[in-house]
Amino acid sequence: MTTRNRLGLAAALVAFAAAAFAPQAQAQAQAFPTKPVRWVVGYPAGGGTDFLARTAGAQLAQQLGQPVLVDNRPGAGAIIASENVARSPGDGYTVFSADNGVLVYNPALYKKLPYDAEKDFAMVGMMGRSTLVITAAPNAGLADAKALIAALKASPGKYSIATPGTGSPHHLALELFQREAGVSLLHVPYKGGAPALQDLMGGQVPLMMLDLPSGVSAVKAGKVVPLMTMGAERIPQLPNVPTAKELGYAGVEAYTWQGLVVPAATAKDVQARLGADLQKTMADAGVRQKLFDAGWEARPADGVEMARFVDAERKKWHALIKARDIKLD
């Protein structure tokens, strides 16, 4: 057989294999999903992230036509869950609630991680965010934001402020606020938001950087006093509470936010299916109302928009982490 004939035969075999495989791949894409989808959450059941996942997951299950089962894997600032997802098969049956910590903060705070935030995940879409709020204990003697600023200016370093932990969105929002406002507070990191909130309500700590989903019931009951929000505009749940920007600190904007990701090896068509159904889920009026009542703001965006947003967040917060010399190892 001549060289030309051998090349022609090889090309024919490649074309035959491609033609044979194409219907199979198309059938697999059309079939997805054929079994339950596992939704990994890096925090305990009952928290704000868990609530969002279960609320959205229930509606997403209707879109997919398969159960969506929440798998809580708490610990180490969601690093345990992140590693689990990064090592999971890229078949579309594992999705993950990825937040600021997973995708933005941890890579700048730790020298070594068991996952690569930029390479191990593919972004499906944004889901929601919550504006961070500086709150006071009822016995702190701080009635509003102006009283807070006056007290902080008069007594640098005197006031303690709780957060759910070092390196959390709450802590980094605090660092941003201190830098922009030119004030100094004593940071008291807790192991989670629940014990910090308990001490705030009990008056053991005068201030807390709070995410609304963790403390919406306490705020509604008057057990804590919301003083100032960290968002770009006032939030509907707290219409009478001013933003830091309104008080003259234009550089202060901070949220906790959640997006959905899958292992990077997940097929593009499966990512597209999940993304489209996630968009429908987050547009559902019932889902949006439940999230609003729990302190969340539905902020859907597709995977491309999410990637742009995360890139901008990395640039902003990595610079702050470096400037404030914040490290976790």
Side-chain angles (χ1 to χ4, degrees), residues 220-266:
K220 288 180 179 178
K223 295 180 179 179
V224 300
V225 182
L227 302 177
M228 181 192 312
T229 67
M230 302 288 104
E233 60 277 323
R234 295 194 184 197
I235 55 177
Q237 294 95 332
L238 300 173
N240 297 321
V241 179
T243 67
K245 288 188 174 185
E246 287 180 74
L247 296 167
Y249 311 121
V252 175
E253 187 173 348
Y255 310 88
T256 60
W257 50 259
Q258 296 285 333
L260 195 68
V261 303
V262 292
T266 305

Side-chain angles (χ1 to χ4, degrees), residues 138-158:
N139 66 354
L142 299 170
D144 54 32
K146 291 184 178 180
L148 170 67
I149 297 299
L152 297 181
K153 294 285 188 180
S155 305
K158 174 185 175 181

